[in-house]
Coordinates of all heavy atoms in Angstrom, one line a residue:
M1 N 0.8 -1.2 0.0 CA 0.0 0.0 0.0 C 0.8 1.2 0.0 O 1.9 1.2 0.6 CB -0.9 0.0 1.2 CG -2.4 -0.3 0.8 SD -3.6 -0.5 2.0 CE -2.8 -0.2 3.6
L2 N 0.4 2.3 -0.6 CA 1.2 3.5 -0.7 C 1.5 4.2 0.5 O 2.5 4.7 0.7 CB 0.5 4.4 -1.8 CG 1.5 5.6 -2.3 CD1 2.6 5.0 -3.0 CD2 0.6 6.5 -3.2
D3 N 0.4 4.3 1.4 CA 0.7 4.9 2.7 C 1.7 4.3 3.5 O 2.5 4.9 4.2 CB -0.6 5.0 3.5 CG -1.3 3.7 3.8 OD1 -1.0 2.6 3.2 OD2 -2.3 3.7 4.6
R4 N 1.9 2.9 3.4 CA 3.0 2.3 4.1 C 4.4 2.7 3.6 O 5.3 2.8 4.3 CB 2.9 0.8 3.9 CG 2.2 0.0 4.9 CD 2.1 -1.4 4.6 NE 3.5 -2.0 4.6 CZ 3.9 -3.1 5.1 NH1 3.0 -3.9 5.6 NH2 5.0 -3.5 5.0
E5 N 4.4 3.0 2.3 CA 5.6 3.3 1.6 C 6.1 4.7 2.2 O 7.2 5.0 2.4 CB 5.3 3.5 0.2 CG 6.6 3.4 -0.8 CD 6.1 3.4 -2.2 OE1 5.3 2.5 -2.6 OE2 6.5 4.4 -2.9
F6 N 5.1 5.6 2.4 CA 5.3 7.0 3.0 C 5.9 6.8 4.3 O 6.9 7.4 4.8 CB 4.1 7.9 2.9 CG 3.6 8.4 1.7 CD1 2.4 8.3 1.2 CD2 4.6 9.2 0.9 CE1 2.1 8.8 0.0 CE2 4.2 9.7 -0.4 CZ 2.9 9.5 -0.8
F7 N 5.1 6.0 5.1 CA 5.4 6.0 6.6 C 6.8 5.2 6.7 O 7.5 5.5 7.7 CB 4.4 5.2 7.3 CG 3.1 5.9 7.4 CD1 1.9 5.3 7.5 CD2 3.1 7.3 7.5 CE1 0.7 6.0 7.5 CE2 1.9 8.1 7.5 CZ 0.7 7.4 7.5
L8 N 7.1 4.3 5.8 CA 8.4 3.6 6.0 C 9.6 4.6 5.9 O 10.6 4.5 6.6 CB 8.6 2.6 4.9 CG 9.6 1.5 5.1 CD1 9.4 0.9 6.5 CD2 9.6 0.5 3.9
G9 N 9.5 5.7 5.1 CA 10.4 6.8 5.1 C 10.6 7.5 6.4 O 11.7 7.6 6.9
F10 N 9.5 7.8 7.0 CA 9.5 8.4 8.4 C 10.1 7.5 9.4 O 10.9 7.8 10.2 CB 8.1 8.7 8.9 CG 7.3 9.7 8.1 CD1 5.9 9.7 8.0 CD2 8.0 10.7 7.4 CE1 5.2 10.6 7.2 CE2 7.3 11.6 6.7 CZ 5.9 11.5 6.6
I11 N 9.7 6.2 9.3 CA 10.3 5.1 10.2 C 11.8 5.1 10.0 O 12.6 5.0 11.1 CB 9.6 3.8 9.9 CG1 8.1 3.8 10.6 CG2 10.4 2.6 10.5 CD1 7.3 2.7 10.0
K12 N 12.3 5.0 8.8 CA 13.7 5.0 8.6 C 14.5 6.1 9.2 O 15.5 6.1 9.8 CB 14.0 4.9 7.1 CG 13.8 3.5 6.5 CD 14.3 3.4 5.2 CE 13.2 3.2 4.2 NZ 13.6 3.0 2.9
I13 N 13.9 7.4 9.1 CA 14.5 8.5 9.7 C 14.5 8.5 11.2 O 15.5 8.7 11.9 CB 13.8 9.8 9.2 CG1 14.0 10.0 7.7 CG2 14.3 11.0 10.0 CD1 13.1 11.1 7.0
H14 N 13.4 8.0 11.7 CA 13.3 7.8 13.1 C 14.3 6.8 13.7 O 15.0 7.0 14.7 CB 11.9 7.2 13.5 CG 11.3 7.7 14.7 ND1 10.3 8.5 14.8 CD2 11.7 7.4 16.0 CE1 10.2 8.8 16.1 NE2 10.9 8.1 16.8
I15 N 14.5 5.7 13.0 CA 15.5 4.7 13.4 C 16.9 5.3 13.4 O 17.7 5.3 14.4 CB 15.4 3.5 12.5 CG1 14.1 2.6 12.7 CG2 16.7 2.6 12.7 CD1 13.9 1.5 11.7
L16 N 17.2 6.0 12.3 CA 18.5 6.7 12.2 C 18.7 7.7 13.3 O 19.8 7.8 13.8 CB 18.7 7.4 10.9 CG 19.1 6.6 9.7 CD1 19.2 7.5 8.4 CD2 20.5 6.0 10.0
Y17 N 17.7 8.4 13.6 CA 17.8 9.4 14.7 C 18.1 8.7 16.0 O 19.1 9.2 16.7 CB 16.4 10.2 14.8 CG 16.4 11.1 16.0 CD1 17.2 12.2 16.1 CD2 15.7 10.7 17.2 CE1 17.2 13.0 17.3 CE2 15.6 11.4 18.3 CZ 16.4 12.6 18.4 OH 16.4 13.4 19.6
H18 N 17.4 7.7 16.4 CA 17.8 7.1 17.7 C 19.1 6.4 17.7 O 19.8 6.5 18.7 CB 16.6 6.1 18.1 CG 15.4 7.0 18.6 ND1 15.4 7.6 19.8 CD2 14.2 7.2 18.1 CE1 14.3 8.2 20.0 NE2 13.5 8.0 18.9
A19 N 19.4 5.8 16.5 CA 20.7 5.1 16.4 C 21.8 6.1 16.4 O 23.0 5.6 16.6 CB 20.7 4.2 15.2
S20 N 21.6 7.3 16.2 CA 22.7 8.3 16.2 C 23.0 8.7 17.5 O 23.9 9.3 17.9 CB 22.4 9.5 15.2 OG 21.4 10.3 15.9
K21 N 22.0 8.6 18.4 CA 22.1 8.9 19.9 C 22.8 7.8 20.7 O 23.6 8.1 21.6 CB 20.7 9.2 20.4 CG 20.0 10.4 19.8 CD 20.4 11.7 20.3 CE 19.8 12.8 19.5 NZ 20.6 14.1 19.5
E22 N 22.4 6.6 20.4 CA 22.9 5.5 21.3 C 22.6 4.2 20.5 O 21.7 4.1 19.6 CB 22.2 5.4 22.7 CG 20.8 5.3 22.6 CD 20.1 5.5 23.9 OE1 20.7 5.6 25.0 OE2 18.8 5.6 23.9
S23 N 23.3 3.1 20.9 CA 23.0 1.9 20.1 C 21.6 1.3 20.5 O 21.3 1.4 21.8 CB 24.0 0.9 20.3 OG 24.4 0.7 21.6
I24 N 20.8 0.8 19.7 CA 19.5 0.4 19.9 C 19.3 -1.1 19.4 O 19.9 -1.4 18.4 CB 18.4 1.4 19.3 CG1 18.7 1.7 17.9 CG2 18.2 2.6 20.3 CD1 17.7 2.6 17.2
F25 N 18.3 -1.8 19.9 CA 18.0 -3.1 19.4 C 16.5 -3.1 18.9 O 15.7 -2.4 19.3 CB 18.4 -4.2 20.4 CG 17.7 -4.1 21.8 CD1 16.6 -4.9 21.9 CD2 18.2 -3.4 22.7 CE1 15.8 -4.8 23.1 CE2 17.6 -3.3 24.0 CZ 16.3 -4.1 24.2
G26 N 16.3 -4.2 18.1 CA 15.0 -4.3 17.4 C 13.7 -4.1 18.3 O 13.0 -3.3 17.9
T27 N 13.6 -4.8 19.5 CA 12.5 -4.7 20.3 C 12.3 -3.2 20.7 O 11.2 -2.7 20.8 CB 12.6 -5.7 21.5 OG1 13.0 -6.9 21.0 CG2 11.2 -5.8 22.1
E28 N 13.4 -2.7 21.1 CA 13.4 -1.3 21.7 C 12.8 -0.4 20.6 O 12.1 0.6 20.8 CB 14.9 -1.0 22.0 CG 15.1 0.0 23.0 CD 16.6 0.2 23.3 OE1 17.5 0.0 22.4 OE2 16.9 0.5 24.5
I29 N 13.4 -0.5 19.4 CA 12.9 0.3 18.2 C 11.4 0.2 18.0 O 10.7 1.1 17.8 CB 13.7 -0.1 17.0 CG1 15.3 0.1 17.1 CG2 13.2 0.7 15.7 CD1 16.1 -0.4 16.0
A30 N 11.0 -1.2 18.0 CA 9.5 -1.3 17.8 C 8.7 -0.7 18.8 O 7.7 -0.1 18.5 CB 9.3 -2.9 17.8
Q31 N 9.2 -0.7 20.1 CA 8.5 -0.1 21.2 C 8.4 1.5 21.0 O 7.4 2.1 21.2 CB 9.0 -0.5 22.5 CG 8.7 -1.9 22.9 CD 9.4 -2.4 24.1 OE1 10.4 -1.6 24.6 NE2 9.2 -3.5 24.7
E32 N 9.5 2.0 20.6 CA 9.7 3.4 20.4 C 8.8 3.9 19.2 O 8.0 4.9 19.4 CB 11.1 3.8 20.1 CG 11.4 5.2 19.6 CD 11.1 6.3 20.8 OE1 10.8 6.0 21.8 OE2 10.9 7.5 20.3
L33 N 8.7 3.1 18.2 CA 7.9 3.4 17.1 C 6.4 3.4 17.5 O 5.6 4.2 17.0 CB 8.2 2.6 15.8 CG 9.6 2.9 15.2 CD1 9.9 1.8 14.2 CD2 9.6 4.3 14.4
A34 N 6.1 2.3 18.3 CA 4.7 2.2 18.7 C 4.3 3.3 19.6 O 3.1 3.7 19.4 CB 4.5 0.8 19.5
R35 N 5.2 3.9 20.3 CA 4.9 5.0 21.2 C 4.5 6.2 20.3 O 3.8 7.1 20.7 CB 6.2 5.3 22.0 CG 6.0 6.2 23.1 CD 7.3 6.4 23.9 NE 8.3 7.1 23.2 CZ 8.5 8.4 23.2 NH1 7.6 9.2 23.7 NH2 9.5 9.0 22.5
H36 N 5.1 6.3 19.1 CA 4.8 7.3 18.2 C 3.6 7.0 17.3 O 3.4 7.7 16.3 CB 6.0 7.6 17.3 CG 7.0 8.4 18.1 ND1 7.0 9.7 18.4 CD2 8.3 8.0 18.5 CE1 8.2 10.1 19.0 NE2 9.0 9.0 19.1
G37 N 2.9 5.8 17.5 CA 1.8 5.5 16.7 C 2.0 4.7 15.4 O 1.1 4.5 14.6
Y38 N 3.3 4.2 15.3 CA 3.6 3.3 14.2 C 3.5 1.9 14.6 O 4.2 1.6 15.6 CB 4.9 3.6 13.6 CG 5.2 5.0 13.0 CD1 5.9 5.9 13.8 CD2 4.7 5.4 11.8 CE1 6.1 7.2 13.2 CE2 5.0 6.6 11.2 CZ 5.6 7.5 12.0 OH 5.9 8.8 11.6
S39 N 2.8 1.2 14.0 CA 2.8 -0.3 14.3 C 3.6 -1.0 13.2 O 3.3 -0.9 12.0 CB 1.4 -0.9 14.5 OG 0.7 -0.9 13.2
I40 N 4.7 -1.5 13.5 CA 5.6 -2.1 12.6 C 5.9 -3.6 13.0 O 6.2 -3.9 14.2 CB 6.9 -1.3 12.4 CG1 7.8 -1.9 11.3 CG2 7.6 -1.1 13.8 CD1 8.9 -1.0 10.9
S41 N 5.6 -4.5 12.1 CA 5.8 -5.9 12.4 C 7.2 -6.2 12.3 O 8.0 -5.6 11.6 CB 5.0 -6.8 11.4 OG 5.5 -6.7 10.1
P42 N 7.6 -7.3 13.0 CA 9.0 -7.8 12.9 C 9.5 -8.1 11.4 O 10.6 -7.8 11.0 CB 9.1 -9.1 13.7 CG 8.0 -8.9 14.7 CD 7.0 -8.2 13.9
G43 N 8.4 -8.5 10.6 CA 8.7 -8.8 9.2 C 9.0 -7.6 8.3 O 9.4 -7.7 7.3
T44 N 8.7 -6.5 8.8 CA 9.0 -5.1 8.2 C 10.3 -4.5 8.8 O 11.1 -4.1 8.2 CB 7.8 -4.2 8.3 OG1 6.7 -4.9 7.7 CG2 8.1 -2.9 7.5
L45 N 10.2 -4.6 10.2 CA 11.3 -3.9 10.9 C 12.7 -4.5 10.6 O 13.7 -3.8 10.2 CB 11.1 -3.9 12.4 CG 12.2 -3.3 13.3 CD1 12.2 -1.8 13.0 CD2 11.8 -3.6 14.8
Y46 N 12.8 -5.8 10.7 CA 14.1 -6.5 10.6 C 14.7 -6.3 9.2 O 15.9 -5.9 9.0 CB 14.2 -7.9 11.2 CG 14.1 -7.8 12.6 CD1 12.9 -8.0 13.3 CD2 15.2 -7.5 13.4 CE1 12.8 -7.9 14.7 CE2 15.1 -7.3 14.8 CZ 13.9 -7.5 15.4 OH 13.8 -7.4 16.8
P47 N 14.0 -6.5 8.1 CA 14.4 -6.2 6.8 C 14.8 -4.8 6.5 O 15.8 -4.5 5.9 CB 13.3 -6.6 5.8 CG 12.5 -7.6 6.6 CD 12.6 -7.1 8.1
T48 N 14.1 -3.9 7.2 CA 14.5 -2.4 7.2 C 15.8 -2.2 7.7 O 16.6 -1.4 7.2 CB 13.4 -1.6 7.7 OG1 12.1 -1.8 7.1 CG2 13.7 -0.1 7.6
L49 N 16.0 -2.8 9.0 CA 17.2 -2.6 9.7 C 18.5 -3.2 8.8 O 19.5 -2.6 8.7 CB 17.2 -3.3 11.0 CG 16.4 -2.7 12.1 CD1 16.2 -3.6 13.3 CD2 17.0 -1.3 12.5
H50 N 18.2 -4.3 8.2 CA 19.2 -5.0 7.4 C 19.5 -4.1 6.2 O 20.7 -4.0 5.8 CB 18.8 -6.4 7.0 CG 18.7 -7.3 8.1 ND1 17.9 -8.5 8.1 CD2 19.3 -7.3 9.4 CE1 18.0 -9.0 9.2 NE2 18.8 -8.4 10.1
R51 N 18.5 -3.5 5.6 CA 18.7 -2.7 4.4 C 19.5 -1.4 4.7 O 20.4 -1.0 4.0 CB 17.4 -2.3 3.8 CG 17.3 -2.8 2.3 CD 16.0 -2.4 1.7 NE 14.9 -3.0 2.4 CZ 13.8 -2.3 2.7 NH1 13.7 -1.0 2.3 NH2 12.8 -2.9 3.4
L52 N 19.2 -0.8 6.0 CA 19.9 0.4 6.4 C 21.3 0.0 6.7 O 22.3 0.8 6.4 CB 19.3 0.9 7.6 CG 18.0 1.6 7.3 CD1 17.2 2.0 8.7 CD2 18.2 3.0 6.6
E53 N 21.6 -1.2 7.2 CA 23.0 -1.7 7.4 C 23.6 -2.0 6.1 O 24.9 -1.6 6.1 CB 23.0 -2.9 8.3 CG 24.3 -3.3 8.7 CD 24.4 -4.5 9.7 OE1 23.3 -5.2 9.9 OE2 25.4 -4.7 10.4
K54 N 23.0 -2.6 5.2 CA 23.6 -2.9 3.9 C 24.0 -1.6 3.2 O 25.0 -1.5 2.5 CB 22.6 -3.7 3.1 CG 23.4 -4.8 2.4 CD 22.5 -5.8 1.7 CE 23.2 -6.6 0.6 NZ 22.3 -7.3 -0.3
A55 N 23.2 -0.6 3.4 CA 23.4 0.7 2.7 C 24.6 1.5 3.3 O 25.0 2.5 2.9 CB 22.2 1.5 2.7
G56 N 25.1 1.0 4.6 CA 26.1 1.6 5.2 C 25.7 2.8 6.2 O 26.5 3.4 6.7
Y57 N 24.4 2.8 6.5 CA 23.9 3.8 7.4 C 23.8 3.4 8.8 O 23.9 4.1 9.8 CB 22.5 4.2 7.1 CG 22.4 4.9 5.6 CD1 21.2 4.8 4.9 CD2 23.4 5.5 5.1 CE1 21.2 5.4 3.7 CE2 23.3 6.2 3.9 CZ 22.2 6.1 3.1 OH 22.2 6.6 1.9
L58 N 23.9 2.0 9.0 CA 23.9 1.5 10.4 C 24.9 0.4 10.5 O 25.3 -0.2 9.5 CB 22.5 0.8 10.7 CG 21.3 1.7 10.9 CD1 20.1 0.6 11.2 CD2 21.3 2.6 12.0
K59 N 25.5 0.2 11.7 CA 26.4 -0.8 12.0 C 25.9 -1.7 13.1 O 25.4 -1.1 14.1 CB 27.8 -0.1 12.4 CG 29.0 -1.0 12.1 CD 30.2 -0.2 12.5 CE 31.3 -1.2 12.8 NZ 31.8 -1.1 14.1
S60 N 25.9 -2.9 13.0 CA 25.4 -3.7 14.1 C 26.5 -4.5 14.8 O 27.6 -4.7 14.3 CB 24.5 -4.8 13.6 OG 25.1 -5.8 12.8
S61 N 26.2 -4.7 16.1 CA 27.2 -5.5 16.9 C 26.3 -6.4 17.9 O 25.2 -6.0 18.2 CB 28.0 -4.6 17.8 OG 27.3 -3.9 18.6
S62 N 26.8 -7.7 18.0 CA 26.0 -8.6 18.8 C 26.5 -8.6 20.3 O 27.7 -8.5 20.5 CB 26.1 -10.0 18.3 OG 25.5 -10.0 17.0
Q63 N 25.5 -8.7 21.2 CA 25.9 -8.7 22.6 C 25.0 -9.8 23.2 O 23.9 -9.9 22.9 CB 25.6 -7.3 23.3 CG 26.7 -6.3 23.2 CD 26.3 -5.1 23.8 OE1 25.9 -5.0 24.9 NE2 26.5 -3.9 23.1
V64 N 25.6 -10.5 24.2 CA 24.8 -11.5 24.8 C 24.1 -10.9 26.1 O 24.9 -10.4 26.9 CB 25.6 -12.7 25.2 CG1 24.8 -13.7 25.9 CG2 26.3 -13.3 23.9
V65 N 22.8 -10.9 26.2 CA 22.0 -10.3 27.2 C 21.2 -11.4 27.8 O 20.4 -12.0 27.0 CB 21.2 -9.1 26.7 CG1 20.4 -8.5 28.0 CG2 22.1 -8.0 26.0
E66 N 21.3 -11.7 29.1 CA 20.6 -12.7 29.7 C 20.5 -14.1 28.9 O 19.6 -14.7 28.7 CB 19.2 -12.3 30.0 CG 19.1 -11.3 31.1 CD 17.8 -10.4 31.1 OE1 16.9 -10.9 30.4 OE2 17.8 -9.4 31.7
G67 N 21.7 -14.3 28.5 CA 21.9 -15.7 27.7 C 21.4 -15.7 26.2 O 21.6 -16.7 25.6
K68 N 20.9 -14.6 25.8 CA 20.5 -14.5 24.4 C 21.3 -13.5 23.6 O 21.7 -12.4 24.1 CB 19.0 -14.0 24.4 CG 18.0 -15.1 24.6 CD 16.7 -14.8 24.2 CE 15.6 -15.0 25.3 NZ 14.4 -14.3 25.2
V69 N 21.5 -13.7 22.3 CA 22.3 -12.9 21.5 C 21.3 -11.7 21.0 O 20.2 -11.9 20.6 CB 22.9 -13.4 20.2 CG1 23.6 -12.5 19.4 CG2 23.9 -14.6 20.7
R70 N 21.8 -10.4 21.2 CA 21.0 -9.3 20.9 C 21.8 -8.5 20.0 O 23.0 -8.2 20.2 CB 20.6 -8.5 22.2 CG 19.6 -7.4 22.0 CD 19.4 -6.6 23.2 NE 18.4 -7.3 24.1 CZ 18.0 -6.9 25.2 NH1 18.7 -5.9 25.9 NH2 17.1 -7.4 26.0
K71 N 21.2 -8.0 18.9 CA 21.9 -7.2 17.9 C 21.6 -5.8 18.1 O 20.4 -5.4 18.1 CB 21.4 -7.6 16.5 CG 22.5 -7.7 15.5 CD 22.0 -8.5 14.2 CE 23.1 -8.2 13.1 NZ 22.5 -8.8 11.8
Y72 N 22.6 -5.0 18.4 CA 22.5 -3.6 18.6 C 22.9 -2.8 17.3 O 23.8 -3.1 16.6 CB 23.4 -3.2 19.7 CG 22.8 -3.4 21.1 CD1 23.1 -4.6 21.7 CD2 22.1 -2.5 21.7 CE1 22.6 -4.8 23.0 CE2 21.5 -2.8 23.0 CZ 21.8 -4.0 23.7 OH 21.3 -4.2 24.9
Y73 N 22.2 -1.7 17.0 CA 22.4 -0.9 15.9 C 22.9 0.5 16.2 O 22.3 1.1 17.1 CB 21.2 -0.8 15.0 CG 20.8 -2.1 14.4 CD1 20.0 -3.1 15.1 CD2 21.3 -2.5 13.2 CE1 19.7 -4.3 14.5 CE2 21.0 -3.8 12.6 CZ 20.1 -4.7 13.2 OH 19.8 -5.9 12.8
L74 N 23.9 1.0 15.5 CA 24.4 2.4 15.7 C 24.5 2.9 14.4 O 25.0 2.4 13.4 CB 25.7 2.2 16.5 CG 26.2 3.6 17.1 CD1 25.3 4.1 18.2 CD2 27.7 3.2 17.8
A75 N 24.2 4.2 14.3 CA 24.3 5.0 13.1 C 25.9 5.2 12.7 O 26.6 5.4 13.6 CB 23.7 6.4 13.2
T76 N 26.1 5.0 11.5 CA 27.6 5.3 11.0 C 27.7 6.8 10.6 O 26.7 7.5 10.7 CB 27.8 4.4 9.7 OG1 27.0 4.9 8.7 CG2 27.7 3.0 10.0
S77 N 28.8 7.2 10.2 CA 28.9 8.6 9.8 C 28.1 8.9 8.5 O 27.5 9.9 8.4 CB 30.4 9.0 9.7 OG 31.1 8.1 8.8
A78 N 28.0 7.9 7.6 CA 27.2 8.1 6.5 C 25.7 8.1 6.9 O 24.8 8.9 6.4 CB 27.3 6.9 5.5
G79 N 25.3 7.4 8.0 CA 24.0 7.5 8.5 C 23.7 8.7 9.1 O 22.5 9.3 8.9
K80 N 24.6 9.3 9.8 CA 24.5 10.6 10.4 C 24.3 11.8 9.4 O 23.6 12.7 9.5 CB 25.6 11.0 11.3 CG 25.5 10.2 12.7 CD 26.7 10.4 13.5 CE 26.6 9.5 14.8 NZ 27.8 9.6 15.6
R81 N 25.1 11.6 8.2 CA 25.0 12.5 7.2 C 23.6 12.5 6.5 O 23.1 13.6 6.3 CB 26.1 12.2 6.2 CG 26.8 13.4 5.6 CD 27.9 13.0 4.7 NE 29.0 12.0 5.3 CZ 29.4 11.0 4.7 NH1 28.9 10.6 3.6 NH2 30.3 10.3 5.4
V82 N 23.2 11.3 6.2 CA 21.9 11.2 5.6 C 20.7 11.8 6.6 O 19.8 12.4 6.1 CB 21.5 9.8 5.0 CG1 20.9 8.9 6.1 CG2 20.6 9.9 3.8
L83 N 21.0 11.5 7.9 CA 20.0 12.1 8.9 C 20.0 13.6 8.8 O 18.9 14.3 8.9 CB 20.4 11.6 10.3 CG 19.6 12.1 11.4 CD1 18.1 11.6 11.4 CD2 20.1 11.7 12.7
E84 N 21.2 14.2 8.7 CA 21.3 15.7 8.6 C 20.5 16.2 7.4 O 19.8 17.2 7.4 CB 22.7 16.2 8.7 CG 23.3 16.1 10.1 CD 22.5 16.7 11.1 OE1 22.1 17.9 11.0 OE2 22.3 16.0 12.2
Q85 N 20.7 15.5 6.3 CA 20.0 15.9 5.0 C 18.6 15.8 5.2 O 17.8 16.6 4.7 CB 20.6 15.0 3.8 CG 21.9 15.4 3.4 CD 22.6 14.3 2.5 OE1 22.0 13.2 2.3 NE2 23.7 14.6 1.9
S86 N 18.2 14.7 5.9 CA 16.7 14.5 6.0 C 16.1 15.6 7.0 O 15.1 16.0 6.7 CB 16.5 13.2 6.7 OG 17.0 12.1 6.0
K87 N 16.9 16.1 7.9 CA 16.4 17.1 8.8 C 16.1 18.4 8.0 O 15.1 19.0 8.3 CB 17.5 17.4 9.9 CG 17.5 16.4 11.1 CD 18.4 16.9 12.1 CE 18.7 15.8 13.1 NZ 19.7 16.3 14.1
K88 N 17.0 18.7 7.1 CA 16.8 19.9 6.3 C 15.5 19.8 5.5 O 14.7 20.7 5.4 CB 18.0 20.1 5.3 CG 19.2 20.8 5.9 CD 20.2 21.0 4.9 CE 21.6 21.2 5.6 NZ 22.6 20.7 4.7
K89 N 15.4 18.5 4.9 CA 14.1 18.3 4.2 C 12.8 18.3 5.0 O 11.8 18.8 4.6 CB 14.3 17.0 3.3 CG 15.4 17.1 2.3 CD 15.4 15.9 1.4 CE 16.6 15.9 0.4 NZ 16.6 17.1 -0.4
I90 N 12.9 17.8 6.2 CA 11.8 17.8 7.1 C 11.4 19.3 7.5 O 10.2 19.6 7.4 CB 12.1 17.0 8.4 CG1 12.2 15.5 8.1 CG2 11.0 17.3 9.4 CD1 12.8 14.7 9.3
R91 N 12.4 20.1 7.8 CA 12.2 21.5 8.1 C 11.5 22.2 6.9 O 10.5 22.9 7.2 CB 13.6 22.1 8.4 CG 13.4 23.3 9.3 CD 14.8 23.8 9.8 NE 15.3 22.9 10.9 CZ 16.5 22.4 10.9 NH1 17.4 22.7 10.0 NH2 16.9 21.7 11.9
E92 N 12.0 21.9 5.7 CA 11.4 22.5 4.6 C 10.0 22.1 4.3 O 9.1 22.8 4.0 CB 12.3 22.2 3.4 CG 12.2 23.0 2.2 CD 13.0 22.6 1.0 OE1 14.2 22.7 1.1 OE2 12.4 22.0 0.1
L93 N 9.8 20.8 4.6 CA 8.4 20.2 4.4 C 7.5 20.8 5.4 O 6.3 21.1 5.1 CB 8.5 18.8 4.5 CG 7.4 17.9 4.0 CD1 7.2 18.0 2.5 CD2 7.6 16.4 4.4
V94 N 7.8 20.9 6.7 CA 7.1 21.5 7.7 C 6.7 22.9 7.5 O 5.5 23.3 7.6 CB 7.8 21.3 9.1 CG1 7.1 22.2 10.2 CG2 7.8 19.9 9.6
T95 N 7.7 23.7 7.0 CA 7.4 25.1 6.6 C 6.4 25.2 5.6 O 5.5 26.0 5.6 CB 8.7 25.8 6.1 OG1 9.7 25.6 7.2 CG2 8.6 27.2 5.9
E96 N 6.3 24.4 4.5 CA 5.4 24.5 3.5 C 4.0 23.8 3.9 O 3.0 24.4 3.8 CB 5.9 23.9 2.2 CG 4.8 24.1 1.2 CD 5.3 23.9 -0.3 OE1 6.4 23.4 -0.4 OE2 4.6 24.2 -1.1
V97 N 4.2 22.5 4.2 CA 2.9 21.7 4.4 C 2.2 22.0 5.7 O 1.0 22.1 5.8 CB 3.2 20.2 4.3 CG1 2.1 19.3 4.5 CG2 3.9 19.9 2.9
I98 N 2.9 22.3 6.8 CA 2.3 22.5 8.1 C 2.0 24.0 8.4 O 1.0 24.4 8.8 CB 3.1 21.9 9.3 CG1 3.4 20.4 9.0 CG2 2.4 22.0 10.6 CD1 2.4 19.4 9.0
E99 N 3.0 24.7 8.1 CA 2.9 26.2 8.4 C 2.3 26.9 7.2 O 2.0 28.2 7.3 CB 4.3 26.7 8.8 CG 4.8 26.1 10.2 CD 6.2 26.4 10.5 OE1 6.8 27.1 9.7 OE2 6.6 25.9 11.6
E100 N 2.3 26.3 6.1 CA 1.8 26.9 4.9 C 2.4 28.2 4.4 O 1.8 29.2 4.1 CB 0.2 27.0 4.8 CG -0.4 25.6 5.0 CD -1.9 25.6 4.7 OE1 -2.4 26.5 4.0 OE2 -2.5 24.7 5.2
R101 N 3.7 28.2 4.6 CA 4.5 29.5 4.2 C 5.2 29.2 2.9 O 5.7 28.1 2.6 CB 5.5 29.8 5.3 CG 4.9 30.6 6.4 CD 5.9 31.1 7.2 NE 6.3 30.3 8.4 CZ 7.5 30.2 9.0 NH1 8.5 30.9 8.5 NH2 7.7 29.4 9.9
Ligands
ZN1 ZN1 11.5 8.5 18.9

């Protein structure tokens, strides 16, 4: 569906934003997105994380937590760069679409 395609862009920016602050793992990201009103299934979230990693925007590292392997994601410098570019575009979009200037 087309609306999903739009929201996926927002979701990717959101993931990059949090991963630029601290390393985050899948369940944490899903909970954060849910807090913002996005319901994202693991079937969408994990391929999205892998794609961002493959593109060089995220770097993952595995840690054992309570006997289970957990994959943490952190934004790379390329990821931070694309986040900065996205911020400019968000600002411009808000000015036009929300503030109607
Ligand atoms: Zn957030």
